[in-house]
Amino acid sequence: MAIQRISSGGEFEEKVGYCRAVVAGGWVHVAGTVGQGEDIVAQCRSALSIIETALQKAGAGLEDVVRVTYMLPDRTEFEPCWLILADTFGANPPAATMIECGLIDPKYRIEIEVTAFLPE
């Protein structure tokens, strides 16, 4: 199986030298993804939408996600996202990790990275 690279056209892809997702060996690896919006809830929804689009281009969906990592500059802001994440992944919960760390720009409140298994 060849490696497939999927770009979303995001501003940092060319600047930093990465792509939104890479499909290899039956897996879809989606890069850390930030979303747009005034608060963490809007950014969480936006990031999940970008991730979903990348997964669809790869031939997978959110239900195929097996691993998710949430990165936030302030862990106390995570709770407002829980309902969104439960609605998104609840029927097919992936393994998950939340990390408190700095993000590329202070305007971003959450970054989400996923790994999915391609359906057969």
Side-chain angles (χ1 to χ4, degrees), residues 12 16 34 102-108 111:
F12 292 108
V16 178
V34 295
L103 299 180
I104 198 163
D105 186 311
K107 71 180 177 182
Y108 296 121
E111 184 170 340

Side-chain angles (χ1 to χ4, degrees), residues 33-67:
T33 303
V34 295
Q36 300 301 311
E38 294 298 316
D39 61 21
I40 192 166
V41 171
Q43 289 184 20
C44 182
R45 285 190 176 113
S46 175
L48 289 169
S49 176
I50 294 165
I51 289 167
E52 184 175 29
T53 298
L55 290 170
Q56 289 171 346
K57 288 180 181 179
L62 291 167
E63 67 278 5
D64 301 306
V65 172
V66 297
R67 180 91 174 122

Side-chain angles (χ1 to χ4, degrees), residues 26 28 58-61 63-64 116-120:
V28 184
E63 67 278 5
D64 301 306
F117 192 69
L118 279 174
E120 296 183 9

Side-chain angles (χ1 to χ4, degrees), residues 18-22 29-34 51 54 71 111-114:
Y18 76 97
C19 57
R20 175 65 43 218
V22 175
H29 305 275
V30 181
T33 303
V34 295
I51 289 167
M71 294 158 275
E111 184 170 340
I112 304 170
E113 172 187 84
V114 305

